[in-house]
Amino acid sequence: MAIERLKSARSDADRAEDDAKVRQVVEATLRAIETRGDAAVRELSERFDGYAPESFRLSPGEIDALMGEVSDRDMADIRFAQAQVRGFAQAQRDSLRDIEVEPLPGVILGHRTIPVQSVGCYVPGGKFPMVASAHMSVATASVAGVPRIVAATPPWQGKPNPAVVAAMHLGGAHEIYVLGGIQAVGAMALGTETIDPVHMLVGPGNAYVAEAKRQLYGRVGIDLFAGPTETMVIADDTVDAEMCATDLLGQAEHGYNSPAVLVTNSRKLAEGTLAEIDRLLAILPTADTAGASWRDYGEVILCDTHDEMLAVANDIASEHVQVMTDRDDWYLDHMHSYGALFLGPRTNVANGDKVIGTNHTLPTKKAGRYTGGLWVGKFLKTHSYQKITTDAAAAEIGAYCSRLCMLEGFVGHAEQANVRVRRYGGRNVGYGAAALPAGEAAD
């Protein structure tokens, strides 16, 4: 049986047209922030969020007051989630080691792992206050040892969201700004009169935030292109339609353009899931957003075999991949392009989003083909070093280097090696000539 699409999403051409519109808006907005600084940021915040305080940066007193509004239960839950995220991030950090080796006597090579010196963490929150995104970016940067962590989140219902601010503060943010969207990531990356620029931007966001990060990449580092949420369910007849529909809509509610895809080899499950989605959309409080995503970006792909399902999944390279089959570990062994895997019916994407400990900032738009998600290593740079401790090693390596430089025609490079062969090896090498091996006479 050929692969059959029981439901298709908007075409790639339509999506490309949307992307082009977003790109133009972002380009103009970043230009305004770069040229007009704080004034542009304030205008944008007033226009899009209706928010223009005296200072966008929260003072220690304001942070304390907002944290006081968070209930004891909510605070305990935030602390629990951060403990899971920190614990896994620390385990990842512990797996990274500085090294130093001596491949030849007197030749020392090594690398050191050094934190990025300043990071801007964007925490979405205009439609839904994304408390968990603070754990994923701020707390993980803290585990990495980043010395300056800047966090920004949009106002929620006209004011700072207490739970998000609490999560940022507990996560280790040194500066907290109540700013959203392009103006937030633009201000953190480009700097303004009152905000010093950072070296790196991290965190998820809508299409405008993701595009802003793309355009700013190069001037600053970024974690990855983490745009609108994507989810895929790979399922066979070991699970039912309610489970599949719930997992698809659970991620589709993020926004109006969140792709949700079912890949299955069961026609009964495919058709049942389509019907169950209709039923759930009639009772889901967030049906306005989830329904729009499902209408325009939902897909149901019917395959004949697990091999076909695997090929489809790797080609789509979805951000979240929920696997519920009779061979979940087989998919773990053979999947190569995705953001994160959620294996078996007992777990789900929401666990990863909120509490289980793995990071929820993950690659979208097929970026899973070449990168994984945000993790402690994204905040760390690996820098190499070398030193030579003996005259004999300086002369031996220098002679090889001299000849290899001359092979490429780099005389100046060769002289860097030659001067050391002369000084530390006591050998007479003509200027601009290749150093011969020790004991070998020139023709």
Side-chain angles (χ1 to χ4, degrees):
M1 180 181 76
I3 294 172
E4 181 182 352
R5 294 180 181 268
L6 301 190
K7 184 185 182 308
S8 297
R10 295 182 69 201
S11 69
D12 289 341
D14 287 341
R15 298 190 196 196
E17 185 178 343
D18 290 343
D19 290 344
K21 293 175 182 176
V22 170
R23 187 161 51 248
Q24 292 173 1
V25 170
V26 170
E27 190 174 286
T29 305
L30 291 178
R31 189 182 307 115
I33 294 171
E34 184 169 20
T35 56
R36 299 177 52 240
D38 283 333
V41 169
R42 182 167 293 277
E43 289 174 10
L44 290 163
S45 182
E46 286 184 296
R47 184 191 314 165
F48 294 111
D49 293 323
Y51 185 73
E54 183 177 338
S55 173
F56 289 102
R57 181 175 177 177
L58 294 178
S59 69
E62 289 172 320
I63 293 170
D64 288 343
L66 287 162
M67 290 180 66
E69 297 180 31
V70 182
S71 71
D72 291 344
R73 170 65 63 80
D74 288 344
M75 192 67 80
D77 289 344
I78 289 170
R79 292 182 186 278
F80 177 84
Q82 287 203 354
Q84 310 317 303
V85 173
R86 281 185 178 276
F88 188 62
Q90 188 63 58
Q92 291 178 310
R93 179 66 183 91
D94 293 343
S95 74
L96 303 173
R97 296 281 189 268
D98 292 350
I99 64 169
E100 187 172 277
V101 298
E102 189 172 6
L104 296 170
V107 176
I108 307 299
L109 308 178
H111 77 226
R112 295 184 61 222
T113 303
I114 301 171
V116 173
Q117 293 300 287
S118 59
V119 171
C121 301
Y122 184 68
V123 178
K127 184 178 290 293
F128 301 105
M130 297 285 286
V131 177
S133 286
H135 320 327
M136 306 301 171
S137 57
V138 177
T140 306
S142 179
V143 171
V146 176
R148 178 180 174 235
I149 303 171
V150 181
T153 190
W156 187 68
Q157 297 181 350
K159 63 178 185 177
N161 183 277
V164 174
V165 171
M168 289 173 158
H169 180 72
L170 294 174
H174 302 106
E175 302 168 30
I176 298 177
Y177 295 86
V178 184
L179 274 173
I182 308 170
Q183 59 269 28
V185 295
M188 289 191 290
L190 301 171
T192 70
E193 298 91 330
T194 59
I195 302 175
D196 291 334
V198 298
H199 296 170
M200 183 179 183
L201 289 172
V202 303
N206 62 21
Y208 292 92
V209 169
E211 175 60 21
K213 288 169 64 180
R214 190 191 70 80
Q215 292 188 22
L216 290 163
Y217 178 59
R219 178 171 295 204
V220 296
I222 64 171
D223 48 357
L224 62 152
F225 300 126
T229 292
E230 302 168 352
T231 198
M232 170 183 288
V233 172
I234 299 174
D236 59 20
D237 56 12
T238 61
V239 291
D240 58 42
E242 181 188 23
M243 186 84 79
C244 294
T246 299
D247 286 343
L248 290 166
L249 291 180
Q251 294 301 302
E253 74 176 355
H254 267 282
Y256 68 91
N257 58 350
S258 297
V261 182
L262 171 65
V263 180
T264 183
N265 58 357
S266 167
R267 182 176 292 275
K268 178 182 177 182
L269 180 64
E271 293 174 347
T273 299
L274 285 168
E276 185 66 11
I277 285 175
D278 288 341
R279 185 187 73 82
L280 291 176
L281 283 174
I283 59 175
L284 182 66
T286 53
D288 285 350
T289 50
S293 284
W294 179 248
R295 181 192 65 229
D296 294 337
Y297 294 89
E299 295 186 72
V300 175
I301 303 174
L302 181 61
C303 300
D304 188 32
T305 66
H306 283 281
D307 285 329
E308 287 181 349
M309 292 160 66
L310 175 69
V312 168
N314 277 324
D315 179 63
I316 292 174
S318 184
E319 177 189 15
H320 306 101
V321 180
Q322 172 82 43
V323 182
M324 298 182 288
T325 67
D326 62 5
R327 59 196 74 190
D328 299 340
D329 287 342
W330 181 83
Y331 281 93
L332 175 62
D333 291 339
H334 291 87
M335 286 284 295
H336 54 67
S337 298
Y338 56 91
L341 289 179
F342 303 81
L343 299 168
R346 292 179 180 83
T347 191
N348 64 87
V349 175
N351 281 350
D353 279 348
K354 309 303 177 189
V355 68
I356 206 166
T358 54
N359 206 290
H360 81 190
T361 304
L362 300 168
T364 63
K365 293 193 171 183
K366 291 184 177 285
R369 295 173 300 173
Y370 58 81
T371 186
L374 182 61
W375 69 297
V376 72
K378 291 279 189 179
F379 298 101
L380 300 168
K381 307 172 294 169
T382 302
H383 295 272
S384 63
Y385 63 88
Q386 56 170 272
K387 59 183 174 181
I388 295 178
T389 60
T390 67
D391 292 350
E396 180 184 4
I397 288 290
Y400 276 105
C401 180
S402 170
R403 296 192 298 274
L404 289 168
C405 290
M406 292 303 292
L407 179 65
E408 297 178 354
F410 282 111
V411 178
H413 284 61
E415 277 303 306
Q416 290 180 264
N418 287 343
V419 71
R420 288 161 175 82
V421 175
R422 297 182 193 112
R423 293 192 181 190
Y424 299 110
R427 293 161 57 186
N428 184 20
V429 181
Y431 187 86
L436 297 177
E440 183 176 321
D443 293 336

